[in-house]
């Protein structure tokens, strides 16, 4: 148990820009489910808040400590317990890092698809808490699609096993799926049974540069209409490209203003056909330059550059990052609205997007410590969230609600649905100790 | 509203053999969500039970009327409201028949995969209630995997919209997924937003005959170990084949005792490669005869024959049908246990199985009206259920719990998990009027 204030500070918050947090009263690092259950039971009896924490890479404040809380860090429960190649299952502890699991699977010819940008650091427990996505979700789905079963500790300190190890089941309510994305408000996940896939076929990369966001948006719409489901379809706008160039001098902006990166992985010749279709879509939308990349190293470098966007922007100030998701045919419309919103507010919105599934990450950079600009940026993003909702979208595609999307969620859901959330929380956590004040108000 | 006892009888039960039911007090056939909400609100105020009903093709008694209840038939809410090819979404009313939706999708070059054997009659609302599966689930997943959003009426008579239209979302609890498979105990689903796929590639069929269940089981295990994910992998045993032959004289038993039917649909040459791998697996397991079918009509006829098994057995008596699902590598072990159980109990268990995902449908035929043999059959199947649970399996892969699997479910889930079910039900249905006495005891 950690109670030294100097050390507590590093467990006080995640990476959400400007979300409130407090110093925890204590941090515990349980080694097994029994210890988790004991901590929760102790806290339930005394009404002490409990905040679960993986790697702290969240972007919504879901892992931020609240006044007087105990932070339960899963750093010491970081083992891959088993990988079964025939059943295509992995059983893991919540603290295992996403990339470590992926490597362990790859060593057995298997693949765990969800690949959030945080994969080198974020944990499966955190991925489960936020229903994390990533680049390949456009074809392969999100974390929830891979969670078959869970062990969890409820707010009463009870250990429950939910879900299954079988390919399918209709036995009772889908409680494992309910816990995925519940951000530590219903239970603390202590073990996860994950579905795996076999190794994927070779990916073919298609690169396109565009003069502006509308033409890149049209290219995305063309791909959607062509019926191709790429295994990645990422958009990086001029502000993002420039930030990476200024840092790494990669020459990304030499090709043009907006970059689209697509990958196709249908097996055999079908994959090449898909890639050629995507290329034709890029060209039809007015790409200034486009090509099917013949060099895997070059293709990987472009995807690596995409991952550098966030740290590159962080060099320039505090990055406010949105996570809206709109119906995918409305990506061009949402991009146009982002441009108008930026203009009317006199700000610069940088956009990175999982364009193929309509999940946009508009970003605003504000000078560190400038509370006025931070507040202003938040207001701009509330406008953006309203526009996403108006287009039939959602306030968070993959980051979770945490603290930062609470206002938006209250607008997305009807009061009756929020009441269902509150009722369900009372069932799992009658004392109201699990991550209180997150996602929705009590 | 129907209250004529003669007409009420046809709404009193589904197709579950030997599950208890009562005559409903009334049957209503609402035309829209407002009418559903009005009926539920009326019943909630008076404590009148409400049982939702699709086509009544269920096999667990989930739609069986209870004493004094109002049956809400969705027969008049049977429209496909929209199909959006670019978003790959369909919005439907609950009463639309599965095959009708599939045809409407196919007309637009789209595909709704879940294909229960009841597809010509069963409704999407009923499929949602039981989280229905089918033949192609082994590769393409079950109903829940295709439900993005729902409109539902809670037990308070409130209309709520759950889920999304977007490719992904982390906005609050996954309440749409919670309703899928809840068998009408939490809410009445009044509209469903479904994810679609593009038309599938051509399927290649592989047929294998085997001398006995163990060798067919080994063939399934070989396919699993080879890493091929077929788009169908069905097992039909000797008793099933004989019943169809005796009825339709199709010569199914000429080839051998146990039939495996596999399909592969990877695009292009990859599909043929997969089919050849499956063929090699069948041969390695000792198939007495096996071939990749060159004739699509012949292949379709074999799958059609598989669908005739249940009606063919029904000619012989009342069919008790199980729905266990075990980890797929344990299919051979489960088949062996079924043979031993049949032998030790002196009964004949016929087996039809979605073998590729471990979902077995053992069936017992008992003379109609013979209560003693019916009770005996039930006890034999409780043994079978216990064995499935012992192998890490589940009591129902795709039929739902209804009335017939309640005893099994209580053994599969811990008391704490059943208590979570009860608590969640109280949140959605505080008066306890929605399908009372189903799935778990109050």
């Amino acid at each position: 148990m950690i109670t030294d204030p100097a050390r507590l500070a590093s467990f006080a918050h995640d990476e959400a820009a400007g979300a409130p947090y407090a110093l925890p009263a204590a941090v515990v690092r349980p080694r097994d489910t029994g210890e988790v259950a004991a901590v929760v039971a102790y806290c339930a009896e005394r009404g002490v808040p409990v905040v679960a924490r993986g790697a702290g890479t969240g972007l919504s404040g879901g892992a931020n400590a609240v006044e007087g809380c105990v932070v339960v860090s899963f750093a010491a429960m970081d083992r891959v317990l088993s990988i079964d190649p025939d059943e295509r299952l992995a059983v893991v502890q919540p603290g295992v890092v996403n990339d470590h699991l992926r490597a362990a699977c790859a060593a057995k010819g298997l693949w765990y698809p969800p690949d959030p940008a945080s994969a080198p650091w974020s944990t499966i427990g955190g991925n489960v808490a936020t229903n994390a996505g990533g680049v390949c979700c456009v074809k392969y789905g999100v974390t929830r699609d891979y969670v078959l079963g869970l062990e969890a500790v409820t707010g009463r300190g009870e250990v429950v096993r939910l879900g299954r190890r079988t390919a399918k089941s209709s036995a009772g309510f889908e409680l494992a799926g309910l816990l995925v994305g519940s951000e530590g408000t219903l239970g603390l996940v202590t073990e996860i049974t994950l579905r795996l896939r076999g190794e994927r076929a070779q990916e073919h990369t298609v690169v396109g540069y565009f003069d502006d966001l509308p033409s890149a948006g049209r290219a995305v719409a063309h791909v959607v209409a062509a019926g191709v489901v790429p295994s990645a379809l990422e958009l990086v706008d001029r502000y993002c490209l420039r930030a990476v160039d200024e840092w790494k001098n990669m020459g990304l902006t030499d090709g043009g203003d907006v970059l689209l990166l697509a990958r196709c992985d249908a097996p055999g010749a079908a994959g090449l056909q898909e890639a050629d279709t995507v290329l034709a879509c890029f060209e039809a939308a007015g790409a200034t330059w486009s090509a099917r990349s013949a060099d895997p190293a070059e293709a990987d470098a472009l995807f690596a550059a995409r991952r550098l966007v966030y740290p590159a922007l962080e060099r320039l100030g505090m990055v406010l990052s949105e996570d809206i998701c709109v119906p995918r045919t409305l990506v061009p419309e949402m991009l146009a609205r982002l441009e108008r919103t930026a203009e009317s507010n006199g700000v610069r919105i940088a956009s990175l997007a999982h364009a193929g599934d309509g999940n946009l990450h508009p970003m605003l950079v504000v000078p560190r410590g400038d509370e006025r600009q931070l507040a202003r940026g938040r207001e701009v993003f509330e406008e953006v969230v309203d526009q996403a909702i108006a287009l039939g979208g959602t306030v968070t595609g993959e980051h979770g609600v945490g603290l930062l999307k609470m206002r938006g969620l209250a607008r997305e859901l009807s009061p009756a649905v929020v009441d269902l959330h509150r009722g369900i929380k009372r069932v799992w956590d009658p004392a109201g100790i699990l991550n209180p004040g997150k996602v929705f108000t009590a």
Side-chain angles (χ1 to χ4, degrees), chain A residues 333-344:
Chain A
E333 173 63 21
M334 190 67 224
L335 289 170
R337 290 189 183 204
L338 280 171
E339 289 204 312
R340 289 203 296 275
T341 304
E343 201 174 328
S344 70

Side-chain angles (χ1 to χ4, degrees), chain A residues 42-122:
Chain A
Y42 178 96
C43 290
E45 212 165 283
R46 289 158 184 82
V48 174
V50 174
V51 178
R53 182 184 178 86
T57 57
L59 292 167
S60 301
N64 281 15
V66 301
E67 195 64 42
C69 79
V70 171
V71 165
V72 177
S73 161
F74 282 98
M77 290 175 69
D78 65 346
R79 279 182 303 141
V80 175
L81 299 174
S82 66
I83 295 179
D84 183 331
D86 288 342
E87 291 293 341
R88 291 193 172 177
L89 293 181
V91 182
V92 307
Q93 292 186 312
V96 67
V97 169
N98 180 303
D99 266 0
H100 295 177
L101 171 62
R102 291 154 64 80
C105 292
K108 302 201 174 200
L110 296 164
W111 179 39
Y112 174 68
D115 57 348
S118 60
W121 313 282
S122 68

Side-chain angles (χ1 to χ4, degrees), chain A residues 20 51 76 83 112 117 209 214 230 245 278 282 296 298 347 389 396 405 432:
Chain A
V51 178
I83 295 179
Y112 174 68
Y209 274 102
D245 269 356
V278 169
F282 285 10
E298 179 197 71
V347 297
I389 294 173
T396 169
K405 308 295 161 60

Side-chain angles (χ1 to χ4, degrees), chain A residues 183-265:
Chain A
E183 303 187 42
T185 63
L186 297 180
L188 269 57
V189 172
T190 50
E191 187 188 290
I192 306 137
T193 301
L194 295 165
R195 195 166 72 87
L196 306 175
R197 287 181 178 271
E199 270 175 340
R200 66 206 303 194
Q202 192 200 335
E203 286 188 298
H204 307 280
T205 302
V206 180
V207 183
Y209 274 102
F210 298 84
D211 268 343
D212 47 37
L213 282 178
S215 53
R218 275 199 309 276
V220 172
H222 286 340
V223 171
V224 165
V228 174
V229 182
S231 52
L233 184 50
E234 299 288 309
L235 179 147
V236 194
D237 83 353
R238 67 196 72 176
Y239 303 121
C240 296
L241 294 174
R242 280 181 205 153
V244 176
D245 269 356
E246 282 162 16
W247 183 24
K248 298 286 185 183
N249 198 22
M250 290 177 76
L252 295 170
T253 37
D254 298 352
D257 257 7
V258 182
L259 174 65
L260 280 184
L261 294 171
R263 280 184 156 164
C264 298
D265 70 352

